[in-house]
Short mmCIF file of all heavy atoms in Angstrom, two decimals:
data_model
loop_
_atom_site.label_atom_id
_atom_site.label_comp_id
_atom_site.label_asym_id
_atom_site.label_seq_id
_atom_site.Cartn_x
_atom_site.Cartn_y
_atom_site.Cartn_z
N SER B 97 3.18 12.50 28.07
CA SER B 97 3.51 13.67 27.24
C SER B 97 2.69 13.67 25.96
O SER B 97 3.08 14.30 24.97
CB SER B 97 5.00 13.70 26.90
OG SER B 97 5.78 13.77 28.06
N GLY B 98 1.60 12.95 25.96
CA GLY B 98 0.72 12.96 24.81
C GLY B 98 1.18 12.08 23.67
O GLY B 98 0.72 12.24 22.54
N ASP B 99 2.10 11.17 23.93
CA ASP B 99 2.54 10.18 22.94
C ASP B 99 3.34 10.75 21.79
O ASP B 99 3.61 10.05 20.81
CB ASP B 99 1.35 9.39 22.37
CG ASP B 99 0.70 8.51 23.42
OD1 ASP B 99 1.44 7.77 24.08
OD2 ASP B 99 -0.52 8.59 23.58
N LYS B 100 3.74 12.02 21.87
CA LYS B 100 4.56 12.53 20.79
C LYS B 100 5.95 11.90 20.89
O LYS B 100 6.37 11.45 21.94
CB LYS B 100 4.67 14.05 20.90
CG LYS B 100 5.47 14.55 22.09
CD LYS B 100 5.49 16.07 22.09
CE LYS B 100 6.40 16.71 23.10
NZ LYS B 100 6.77 16.07 24.28
N LEU B 101 6.64 11.85 19.77
CA LEU B 101 8.00 11.32 19.75
C LEU B 101 8.99 12.41 20.16
O LEU B 101 8.96 13.51 19.62
CB LEU B 101 8.34 10.81 18.35
CG LEU B 101 7.71 9.48 17.94
CD1 LEU B 101 7.81 9.28 16.44
CD2 LEU B 101 8.38 8.33 18.67
N THR B 102 9.86 12.07 21.10
CA THR B 102 10.97 12.95 21.49
C THR B 102 12.24 12.29 20.97
O THR B 102 12.52 11.14 21.32
CB THR B 102 11.02 13.12 23.01
OG1 THR B 102 9.81 13.73 23.45
CG2 THR B 102 12.21 13.99 23.40
N PHE B 103 12.99 13.01 20.16
CA PHE B 103 14.15 12.46 19.48
C PHE B 103 15.46 12.92 20.11
O PHE B 103 15.56 14.02 20.65
CB PHE B 103 14.17 12.89 18.02
CG PHE B 103 13.13 12.24 17.17
CD1 PHE B 103 11.88 12.83 16.99
CD2 PHE B 103 13.39 11.05 16.51
CE1 PHE B 103 10.92 12.23 16.20
CE2 PHE B 103 12.43 10.45 15.71
CZ PHE B 103 11.20 11.04 15.55
N GLY B 104 16.48 12.06 19.98
CA GLY B 104 17.84 12.49 20.22
C GLY B 104 18.34 13.27 19.03
O GLY B 104 17.63 13.45 18.03
N THR B 105 19.57 13.74 19.12
CA THR B 105 20.12 14.62 18.08
C THR B 105 20.58 13.86 16.84
O THR B 105 20.89 14.48 15.83
CB THR B 105 21.31 15.40 18.63
OG1 THR B 105 22.23 14.48 19.23
CG2 THR B 105 20.87 16.42 19.68
N GLY B 106 20.60 12.56 16.90
CA GLY B 106 21.01 11.78 15.73
C GLY B 106 22.50 11.49 15.74
O GLY B 106 23.31 12.31 16.20
N THR B 107 22.87 10.33 15.24
CA THR B 107 24.27 9.92 15.11
C THR B 107 24.51 9.49 13.67
O THR B 107 23.84 8.56 13.19
CB THR B 107 24.62 8.76 16.06
OG1 THR B 107 24.35 9.15 17.40
CG2 THR B 107 26.09 8.37 15.91
N ARG B 108 25.43 10.19 13.02
CA ARG B 108 25.74 9.82 11.63
C ARG B 108 26.73 8.68 11.62
O ARG B 108 27.77 8.73 12.27
CB ARG B 108 26.31 11.01 10.88
CG ARG B 108 26.60 10.74 9.41
CD ARG B 108 27.05 11.99 8.67
NE ARG B 108 26.03 13.03 8.69
CZ ARG B 108 25.00 13.07 7.87
NH1 ARG B 108 24.84 12.15 6.96
NH2 ARG B 108 24.12 14.07 7.95
N LEU B 109 26.40 7.63 10.87
CA LEU B 109 27.27 6.47 10.72
C LEU B 109 27.78 6.41 9.28
O LEU B 109 26.99 6.48 8.35
CB LEU B 109 26.51 5.17 11.04
CG LEU B 109 27.22 3.86 10.68
CD1 LEU B 109 28.47 3.67 11.54
CD2 LEU B 109 26.28 2.68 10.84
N ALA B 110 29.09 6.31 9.14
CA ALA B 110 29.70 6.14 7.82
C ALA B 110 30.47 4.82 7.85
O ALA B 110 31.32 4.61 8.73
CB ALA B 110 30.63 7.30 7.50
N VAL B 111 30.15 3.93 6.91
CA VAL B 111 30.83 2.64 6.84
C VAL B 111 31.69 2.61 5.59
O VAL B 111 31.19 2.80 4.47
CB VAL B 111 29.82 1.48 6.82
CG1 VAL B 111 30.55 0.14 6.77
CG2 VAL B 111 28.92 1.54 8.05
N ARG B 112 32.99 2.36 5.79
CA ARG B 112 33.95 2.31 4.67
C ARG B 112 34.05 0.89 4.15
O ARG B 112 34.04 -0.05 4.94
CB ARG B 112 35.33 2.77 5.13
CG ARG B 112 35.41 4.18 5.64
CD ARG B 112 36.84 4.49 6.02
NE ARG B 112 37.32 3.53 7.02
CZ ARG B 112 37.90 3.88 8.15
NH1 ARG B 112 38.04 5.15 8.44
NH2 ARG B 112 38.34 2.95 8.99
#
Side-chain angles (χ1 to χ4, degrees):
Chain B
S97 299
D99 293 310
K100 69 180 188 335
L101 285 164
T102 299
F103 288 92
T105 52
T107 302
R108 182 175 299 279
L109 169 66
V111 180
R112 298 181 303 231

